[in-house]
């Protein structure tokens, strides 16, 4: 006979000689009898086949009038070819749990080619799981037969087709060139998700603000405190350095001024100095040494000591020897550049007259111009001299620039003149100042090269190492010849001349030196605030924002997880899971609903897996909204199957739970009637409802799932599998519960007996619709046996149903 197959079918046929029944099965079926396979060709009664394996002939036609067959049955044959158990539409095993999800379509036959036929009951084999309810085989004069199936409604296994057909998969979805775009889409979706959570849980923003504020307060407080401590430490270090510098200069000056005390002692002990004041005399008094002609300003500054005692060579030589020894013992070469004695405030002897020993050739210092200099009459010197007379301490004048001539380069850039009074050696030795007689012999004078002293101190390097700037100054009074007044002037001794820092950026220390007129300022351009403060503040703010943002993200993720767990698990179960307890509960009366997608219309044959998943997502998103509306609990979605419960986990009266589920089911069917996806696909579903006792609990710890167990659940699934397209089938117990609904009248149609696995023939009903009762006709169910839960209890009447 001829059997018409599509070109990609390869299966095995088994014929039992002791039976005239025909069975189809997979190649591995261990049946007795003659086993023969065929590919495309004529099958002979002796078990051989024309066009043996590997032949490439086209399938022979029954006759020219037979149309080309290409139906959903092709997918059935594909399932057989792949050795996957094929389960028909009204199968006894649950199709949704079948690994191949396979189903068989309709096969039609042209009745015009049939001459002889008879109907046989189906024959099933355990190995193939193949059940053909009606098999027609026709016999012709050539003793050939054609095997076809008729009047069999099945579901097409869409997912099996998608797995097999590579054309429906979009390879561009994982294309590397689109990964960046996919990443941006993912980031945008994630951002929208976070914003959605924040809108629904504003407390997260409050916690974030408090956390950010707390971190900023603590962080900035710590940074400011550390910075203040460091600033204080920097100020103290600057003050210590300034004080240390002042001490060093004070000690250096003490060493430089020590020869004055030595010279003063020699003057008081040696007879050669005893009568010098009387011989010089008081200025402008009879018998005193006369003055030289006045200078250009008309001021008398020098006396004519030539030929006087001050010019006596023997006396000059003795003083030179004495001063040389004092200078040598002081060990201040290059710093102590000249020693003088000035009886009656007039310079008489000095050493060295021409100083070449303290300077590098050809530089030298000629001091001959100082001989005969009357310090009390020279306007440029008399202020210091008048101050020095009554003082018992060393008085320093300067800084001064020492030149040999007005046009010459300075020999000493910065010099000080230190003077110390010598007490009178006789009653006649008196110096008159402002009408007051001071018994003073005169002065011992020392010239100090302060520039050399600063260079030896290395003070500049000491401050530079610490990144500091400094300025050493001395306040002095200088006589202004034009105004005939003394001007207060701050003279810089060392350091930066352009020390123009803000007063908050430096410290000022008065040095304990001679006359207490010295001052040193120490600072830097940025003040004493530590350089890391601004960076630390910025880092603290950034860190606080990042940490608080991370904390907010953690709170959002925890809230998402908590919301997801609340969607997955009832609150009571969630509390037990958090405590590590096992969650299991018994419900005396609950209602379970199953639905399944049984067909698709207006759908493209090239529909991709992404499009199918998008369609299912769009449809079940709307179903989820209906479930929320009717307050039923969505248990799970398995493939294209949908399961909800009424009265679980929130306990309520049996009729109330059945009513919620029924109303949900009715509205879901109405949704499917009008539902169209964005691609124009239409969904066809069927549903089943059953009521009765069950057990609910949480299974698993890594991915906990709230689920229900019991025959009530199994029978609800069988109500769905034996239902019809776009209809809701329920059991007798659900029918009676709906009949007792207090608020609705349900349009329920009797279907009659339906054979259900494990239950035999069951009386079932179709739910067609519901009408809400008017309020005056609504009744209230009385709780007969209560429950300890907060919700309604169960009615004992239904415990035995």
């Amino acid at each position: 006979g001829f059997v018409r197959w599509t070109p990609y079918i390869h299966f095995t046929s088994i014929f039992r000689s002791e039976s005239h029944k025909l069975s189809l099965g997979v190649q591995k079926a261990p049946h007795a009898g003659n086993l023969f396979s065929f590919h495309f060709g004529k099958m002979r009664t002796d078990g051989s086949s024309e066009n043996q394996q590997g032949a490439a002939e086209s399938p022979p036609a029954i006759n020219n009038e037979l149309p080309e067959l290409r139906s959903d049955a092709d997918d059935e044959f594909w399932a057989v070819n792949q050795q996957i158990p094929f389960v028909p539409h009204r199968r006894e095993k649950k199709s949704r749990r079948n690994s191949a999800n396979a189903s068989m379509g309709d096969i039609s036959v042209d009745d015009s080619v049939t001459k002889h036929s008879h109907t046989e009951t189906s024959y099933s084999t355990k190995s193939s799981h193949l059940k053909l309810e009606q098999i027609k085989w026709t016999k012709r004069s050539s003793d050939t037969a054609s095997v076809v199936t008729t009047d069999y409604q099945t579901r097409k296994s869409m997912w099996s087709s998608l797995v097999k057909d590579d054309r429906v998969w979009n390879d561009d979805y994982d294309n590397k060139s689109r990964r960046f775009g996919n990443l941006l889409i993912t980031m945008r979706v994630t951002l929208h998700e976070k914003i959605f959570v924040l809108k629904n849980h504003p407390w997260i923003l409050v916690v974030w603000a408090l956390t950010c504020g707390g971190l900023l307060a603590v962080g900035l407080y710590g940074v400011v405190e550390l910075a203040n401590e460091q600033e204080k430490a920097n100020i103290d270090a600057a003050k210590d350095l300034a004080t240390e510098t002042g001490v060093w200069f004070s000690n250096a000056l003490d060493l430089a001024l020590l020869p004055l005390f030595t010279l003063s002692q020699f003057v008081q002990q040696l007879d050669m100095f005893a009568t010098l004041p009387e011989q010089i005399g008081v200025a402008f008094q009879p018998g005193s040494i006369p003055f030289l002609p006045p200078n250009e300003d008309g001021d008398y500054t020098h006396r004519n000591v030539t030929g006087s005692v001050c010019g006596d060579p023997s006396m000059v030589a003795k003083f030179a020897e004495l001063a040389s020894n004092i200078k040598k013992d002081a060990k201040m070469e290059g710093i102590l550049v000249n020693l003088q004695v000035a009886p009656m405030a007039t310079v008489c002897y000095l050493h060295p007259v021409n100083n070449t020993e303290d300077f590098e050739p050809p530089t030298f210092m000629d001091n001959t111009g100082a001989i005969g200099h009357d310090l009390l009459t020279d306007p440029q010197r008399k202020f210091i001299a008048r101050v020095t007379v009554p003082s018992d301490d060393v008085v320093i004048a300067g800084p001064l620039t020492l030149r040999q001539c007005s046009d010459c380069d300075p020999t000493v850039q910065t010099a000080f003149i230190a003077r110390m009074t010598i007490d009178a050696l006789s009653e006649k030795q008196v110096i008159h100042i402002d009408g007051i007689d001071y018994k003073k012999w005169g002065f011992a004078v020392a010239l100090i090269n302060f520039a050399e002293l600063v260079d030896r101190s290395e003070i500049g390097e000491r401050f530079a190492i610490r990144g500091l700037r400094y300025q050493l100054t001395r306040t002095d009074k200088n006589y202004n010849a034009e105004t005939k007044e003394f001007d207060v002037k701050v003279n810089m001794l060392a350091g930066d001349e352009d020390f123009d820092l803000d007063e908050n950026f430096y410290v000022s220390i008065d040095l304990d030196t001679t006359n207490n007129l010295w001052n040193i300022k120490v600072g830097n351009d940025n003040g004493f605030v530590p350089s890391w403060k601004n960076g630390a503040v910025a880092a603290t703010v950034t860190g606080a924002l990042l940490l608080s943002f991370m904390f907010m993200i953690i709170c959002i993720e925890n809230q998402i997880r908590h919301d997801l767990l609340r969607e997955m698990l009832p609150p009571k179960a969630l509390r037990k899971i958090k405590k590590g307890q096992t969650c299991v509960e018994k419900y005396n009366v609950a209602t379970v609903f199953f639905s399944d997608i049984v067909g698709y219309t207006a759908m493209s044959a090239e529909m991709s897996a992404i499009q199918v998943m998008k369609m299912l997502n769009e449809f079940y998103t709307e179903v989820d909204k209906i479930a929320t509306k009717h307050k039923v609990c969505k248990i799970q979605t398995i493939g294209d199957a949908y399961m909800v419960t009424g009265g679980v986990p929130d306990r309520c009266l049996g009729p109330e739970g059945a009513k919620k589920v029924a109303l949900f089911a009715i509205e879901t069917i109405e949704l499917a009637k009008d539902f169209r996806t964005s691609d124009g696909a239409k969904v066809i579903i069927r549903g089943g409802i059953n009521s009765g006792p069950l057990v609910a609990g949480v299974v698993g710890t890594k991915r906990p799932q709230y689920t229900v167990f019991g025959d009530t659940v199994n029978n609800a699934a069988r109500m769905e599998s034996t239902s019809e397209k776009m209809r809701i089938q329920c059991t007798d117990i659900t029918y009676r519960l709906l009949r007792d609904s207090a608020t609705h009248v349900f349009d329920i149609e009797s279907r009659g007996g339906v054979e259900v696995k494990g239950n035999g023939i069951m009386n079932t009903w179709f739910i067609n619709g519901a009408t809400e009762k008017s309020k005056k006709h609504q009744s209230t169910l009385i709780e007969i046996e209560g429950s300890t839960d907060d919700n309604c209890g169960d009615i004992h009447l239904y415990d035995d149903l």
Side-chain angles (χ1 to χ4, degrees), residues 625-647:
K625 295 178 182 179
I626 299 175
T628 302
K629 173 183 176 181
H630 292 286
K631 299 180 181 180
V632 294
C633 177
K634 175 184 176 183
I635 298 300
Q636 59 186 351
T637 301
I638 306 175
D640 52 2
Y642 196 89
M643 177 184 178
V644 300
T645 59

Side-chain angles (χ1 to χ4, degrees), residues 158-175 178 605-613:
M158 175 196 60
W159 294 108
S160 297
S161 300
L162 290 176
V163 172
K164 185 65 176 178
D165 193 353
D166 293 335
R167 295 173 302 170
V168 302
W169 293 93
N170 186 4
D171 294 337
D172 292 337
Y173 183 74
D174 291 328
N175 196 305
R178 298 183 59 184
E606 297 297 326
M607 194 173 187
S608 68
I610 301 300
Q611 291 173 319
V612 173
M613 187 59 67

Side-chain angles (χ1 to χ4, degrees), residues 589-621:
V589 179
T591 301
V592 182
F593 168 82
F594 273 95
S595 71
D596 205 356
I597 297 178
V598 296
Y600 306 90
T601 60
M603 190 178 297
S604 173
E606 297 297 326
M607 194 173 187
S608 68
I610 301 300
Q611 291 173 319
V612 173
M613 187 59 67
K614 181 179 179 182
M615 177 198 66
L616 292 176
N617 187 54
E618 291 177 358
F619 177 71
Y620 282 128
T621 298

Side-chain angles (χ1 to χ4, degrees), residues 11-12 14 25-31 35 80 82-84 127-128:
F11 67 97
T12 300
I14 304 168
V26 297
Q27 190 171 0
K28 291 185 178 180
H31 296 291
L35 178 65
V80 175
Q82 296 298 318
Q83 299 182 4
I84 299 175
S127 62
S128 65

